[in-house]
Amino acid sequence: MFCLDNRTVRPYSLSLAVMIFCHVLLAGCAICFVYTCKKLVDSAVAAFSGASPESIIKWLLVLVGVVLMRIAVNAFRTYIQTKTEIKMKNSLRRRLFDIMLRMQSDGSRKHHSGDIINRIQEDVRVVSSALVSSLPNFIGTCLQFAAAAAFLI
């Protein structure tokens, strides 16, 4: 009856790419946060030993900048994700409902239970959530793991 094809995913490919890019930025922010914390602690130890405390202020400002960037990127990613997921759900529901109406009008199916509508609602939610949320999150997590491993090496 209906399959997940190129027409379903193609209109959202730019949004999905933007979300994956946001995950890359978030992974970069996480690595930068760790590095900045390390440098801040090193500066604090050096300042305690008698060095100038100016580097503490510098690394503290960098840390605040990294945190603010992470918040901004995460908010933007959430906005794009929500917008894309709603558009995809509405598009899938409209296409599936049109298929059901055509099946009714050509006489191929005379009766169906209301369970089909409930099934469509749940299937659309699961498919759109998997494509818009789970897939970019999985890719982002893999990238963050690879970046953390490279940072540790």
Side-chain angles (χ1 to χ4, degrees), residues 30-49 51-64 66 151:
I31 297 300
C32 190
F33 181 82
V34 170
Y35 181 74
T36 304
C37 286
K38 176 196 171 303
K39 287 302 224 177
L40 185 61
V41 168
D42 290 346
S43 298
V45 169
F48 187 69
S49 334
S52 104
E54 294 170 357
S55 66
I56 292 177
I57 295 170
K58 178 183 86 169
W59 286 110
L60 190 60
L61 290 175
V62 170
L63 183 67
V64 169
V66 168
F151 183 73

